[in-house]
Amino acid sequence: MNKSFFAKNQIKYWSGLVLVSITLVVIAWSAISSFHDAQVTEIKLDSKNHIQFFSDIIHEKLQDKNYTSVETLLPHWGEQYDLHVAEVTLIMANGFILGEYHSKENPAHKLLFSTTIPYSYKGSADLHLVVDLTSIYTRTRHLINVFGIIIVISTLILAFMMWLFIRKHSLAIELTNRSQLLTKAVAELKSEISAVVPHFKWT
Amino acid sequence: MKKLRCYPSQGVSFKTLSILFLLCCINSPSYSQKPLVLGIHPYRSIRILEKKFTPLTAYLSKELGQKVVLRVGTSYQEHIDAIGQDQIDIAYMGPVPYIDLVNQYGVKPLLACQVTNGSPTFEGIIVTRKDNSATSLAEIKGDFSFVDPQSTMGYILPAYMLLHDNPEILKKKHYQFLKSHENVALGVLAGDFEAGAVKESVYHTYEKRGLKQLVATPAVAEHLFVASSKIEERLIPILRQAFFKLKESPEGQGIMQAIKPTITDFIPISDSDYDSLRHIVDELAIAGIPE
């Protein structure tokens, strides 16, 4: 086998490995990204449902002028529900904050939802909900780490296997080339000896 | 040799059980008489009221040697009728319901009047928002919020003041009842009402959120405990003494503060202490208030 031919193929093999790794990264990235998007979409949907549900309750209570129950409802909403509520604020038309809830942590990643609640003939209030996405981002980061480690390890294993394969092949080629050279040298020696000693008998 | 075992016969067992039962009955605290009923007007939720008044019922049971149980009326009028018709034995009453009681059923034995922060009288506050430039009741042009038609601080006294200083609000019915003092404060802060009438403690709670005192109502005698006309006469002085000595012990102070954290004492009271309020109620009645 031609050595230069194999050297050219080696580049192909390593390029193939790089391509496989890139493909794995792309697949992992798109899987994580769609998982992340699905989680965010789910939280968006949940938050929209929550804000709709609570704005209906608040509307009813404001219509009845039952301000105290609205005041106590918002912290209850923030504390009791599984939705990751970072902030809930109900701001009346004159700027007065009737009720609010703030979680202890200040979220790095958040989504803001707002709705206006009209009541009676002239009243209105703005309900703001801030949802904490930190847990989703943490989960995504964890997935990135796990997939990253898997990809790196599998690339290293593939690279090692490829290195073994290439080494084996290059050794085989080297061996073939050397044995060819040896055979050639033997033939040359034979012809030289035959020239010097015509009747030399090979045993 | 067989061991002898002794099994009690059925008769012995019954006898033993009977003796044990009797012993239990003797040893457990029991009140031979029918329990006395302490009635409360429904000014808060039943659970809160039970929490507030259970220590008092336990204390009175101990002092009287007779069980006292708690009942909460479903309305102010039911409460007035219950004590007026002697269906309950002791009643906790606000000043206006007390006047209504006397008007409808006559004077009942008075037990004690509560003293809050050292004063046997209390006053309400007419509030508006801090950004409102009004400085008197006459300057109020918007809607007014009251607590309840039976509330002394939340309706009777502020209505009396409006009758003199801004009768248009009452005439044109530019007001609403919001059921609680806290609702009135929040309704004013939310801008749905220009002014409202609340008790002092609620005003102080919401003052830092933007509430301003416009004017204070006249001071009137505090809440009181009255007894039924049918209660055993010997119990009345015991009940009065039980209330009067509450301040003397930490346990008694705890009982008072459970009812209301600002109660510092219970003192004797007479029907004439409510005359000033009675005059106000009469004047309002002439004006057709409450309807």
Side-chain angles (χ1 to χ4, degrees):
Chain A
M1 201 183 279
N2 192 342
K3 197 177 176 180
S4 63
F5 170 78
F6 184 72
K8 272 180 198 168
N9 276 348
Q10 259 197 62
I11 294 165
K12 273 187 191 170
Y13 294 147
W14 288 116
S15 307
L17 181 67
V18 169
L19 203 66
V20 167
S21 301
I22 289 169
T23 311
L24 281 175
V25 168
V26 169
I27 289 168
W29 185 255
S30 61
I32 292 167
S33 164
S34 61
F35 173 78
H36 178 85
D37 290 347
Q39 295 262 298
V40 172
T41 311
E42 196 181 321
I43 264 212
K44 267 185 189 171
L45 197 70
D46 270 3
S47 307
K48 276 179 188 166
N49 289 339
H50 267 249
I51 203 167
Q52 185 57 51
F53 175 70
F54 277 94
S55 65
D56 287 347
I57 296 175
I58 291 166
H59 178 217
E60 210 166 285
K61 290 189 183 299
L62 288 177
Q63 193 73 28
D64 293 344
K65 304 278 187 274
N66 192 352
Y67 305 99
T68 45
S69 59
V70 176
E71 194 186 29
T72 52
L73 175 75
L74 299 185
H76 175 77
W77 178 11
E79 284 158 12
Q80 298 295 314
Y81 285 83
D82 198 27
L83 189 75
H84 308 285
V85 175
E87 280 175 45
V88 186
T89 321
L90 186 73
I91 304 171
M92 309 306 283
N94 64 355
F96 172 67
I97 297 171
L98 179 56
E100 59 187 328
Y101 165 80
H102 294 274
S103 67
K104 283 168 197 160
E105 290 123 27
N106 191 23
H109 305 278
K110 52 192 175 185
L111 271 178
L112 173 70
F113 300 89
S114 294
T115 187
T116 299
I117 305 167
Y119 63 95
S120 69
Y121 290 112
K122 50 188 178 180
S124 89
D126 289 325
L127 178 63
H128 301 287
L129 167 69
V130 177
V131 176
D132 184 1
L133 297 180
T134 309
S135 66
I136 292 179
Y137 276 82
T138 309
R139 228 172 295 156
T140 307
R141 225 178 356 259
H142 176 72
L143 278 177
I144 289 171
N145 291 341
V146 169
F147 274 83
I149 289 165
I150 290 170
I151 290 168
V152 166
I153 289 171
S154 46
T155 307
L156 284 174
I157 290 168
L158 281 174
F160 180 67
M161 283 162 71
M162 187 153 310
W163 176 76
L164 281 178
F165 170 80
I166 290 167
R167 193 162 172 267
K168 191 182 154 191
H169 271 261
S170 64
L171 281 173
I173 290 164
E174 193 70 25
L175 196 66
T176 315
N177 289 344
R178 296 242 171 133
S179 61
Q180 279 173 359
L181 282 174
L182 203 62
T183 314
K184 199 180 163 188
V186 168
E188 280 173 5
L189 269 173
K190 270 183 181 175
S191 72
E192 273 177 30
I193 288 167
S194 302
V196 177
V197 189
H199 301 292
F200 183 78
K201 197 176 178 181
W202 297 93
T203 55
Chain B
M1 198 178 160
K2 262 187 177 179
K3 270 188 182 176
L4 282 172
R5 283 187 184 172
C6 184
Y7 293 100
S9 71
Q10 227 175 348
V12 171
S13 169
F14 178 74
K15 212 182 275 178
T16 313
L17 284 172
S18 305
I19 290 163
L20 279 171
F21 176 74
L22 282 171
L23 278 171
C24 284
C25 289
I26 291 161
N27 287 336
S28 67
S30 69
Y31 305 102
S32 50
Q33 300 99 326
K34 200 180 152 200
L36 294 175
V37 177
L38 167 64
I40 311 293
H41 55 290
Y43 68 98
R44 299 291 289 270
S45 74
I46 186 159
R47 207 168 297 167
I48 293 173
L49 291 175
E50 277 173 353
K51 205 173 165 189
K52 282 176 173 287
F53 286 91
T54 299
L56 179 68
T57 55
Y59 167 74
L60 292 178
S61 299
K62 202 172 117 190
E63 290 293 314
L64 295 170
Q66 187 170 348
K67 193 169 174 61
V68 177
V69 293
L70 186 72
R71 293 279 182 277
V72 179
T74 53
S75 69
Y76 279 62
Q77 191 53 52
E78 190 199 32
H79 182 65
I80 293 166
D81 293 339
I83 185 67
Q85 294 165 7
D86 302 313
Q87 292 163 358
I88 57 175
D89 303 289
I90 308 159
Y92 180 61
M93 307 199 84
V96 170
Y98 169 70
I99 287 166
D100 287 346
L101 170 77
V102 174
N103 287 344
Q104 292 174 44
Y105 297 99
V107 181
K108 300 275 172 187
L110 304 187
L111 297 176
C113 173
Q114 76 185 32
V115 174
T116 52
N117 291 326
S119 169
T121 60
F122 70 129
E123 57 182 28
I125 309 287
I126 294 177
V127 293
T128 187
R129 282 177 60 89
K130 271 183 186 157
D131 55 14
N132 191 323
S133 58
T135 52
S136 70
L137 263 184
E139 291 171 56
I140 298 296
K141 302 284 175 229
D143 289 350
F144 201 94
S145 53
F146 293 117
V147 176
D148 184 279
Q150 295 282 351
S151 169
T152 311
M153 293 298 112
Y155 180 57
I156 303 297
L157 295 177
Y160 174 74
M161 294 175 79
L162 283 173
L163 193 66
H164 287 93
D165 298 340
N166 197 339
E168 286 300 296
I169 287 175
L170 296 174
K171 273 185 202 164
K172 291 182 177 171
K173 292 189 187 294
H174 283 175
Y175 60 85
Q176 273 188 54
F177 293 104
L178 302 188
K179 294 175 189 148
S180 78
H181 292 266
E182 289 82 0
N183 255 343
V184 169
L186 288 169
V188 171
L189 286 167
D192 291 343
F193 298 92
E194 192 182 348
V198 295
K199 57 185 177 184
E200 210 177 346
S201 61
V202 171
Y203 163 64
H204 289 305
T205 305
Y206 289 95
E207 189 183 7
K208 54 185 172 290
R209 288 178 71 181
L211 221 50
K212 163 177 104 171
Q213 174 176 337
L214 202 57
V215 61
T217 69
V220 293
E222 262 285 4
H223 289 60
L224 73 161
F225 282 91
V226 300
S228 154
S229 308
K230 286 186 180 168
I231 199 167
E232 278 181 71
E233 243 175 63
R234 66 170 186 91
L235 293 178
I236 291 173
I238 303 172
L239 276 167
R240 282 180 182 147
Q241 279 311 311
F243 279 109
F244 299 157
K245 68 181 186 185
L246 272 170
K247 64 166 186 282
E248 290 165 11
S249 67
E251 185 208 355
Q253 286 166 13
I255 291 164
M256 291 193 292
Q257 281 158 13
I259 299 171
K260 192 179 178 184
T262 50
I263 297 180
T264 49
D265 197 2
F266 279 98
I267 56 165
I269 187 84
S270 69
D271 181 62
S272 60
D273 290 326
Y274 293 92
D275 282 349
S276 63
L277 180 61
R278 195 168 277 128
H279 166 75
I280 289 169
V281 171
D282 289 346
E283 199 175 320
L284 285 171
I286 292 163
I289 301 163
E291 285 176 354

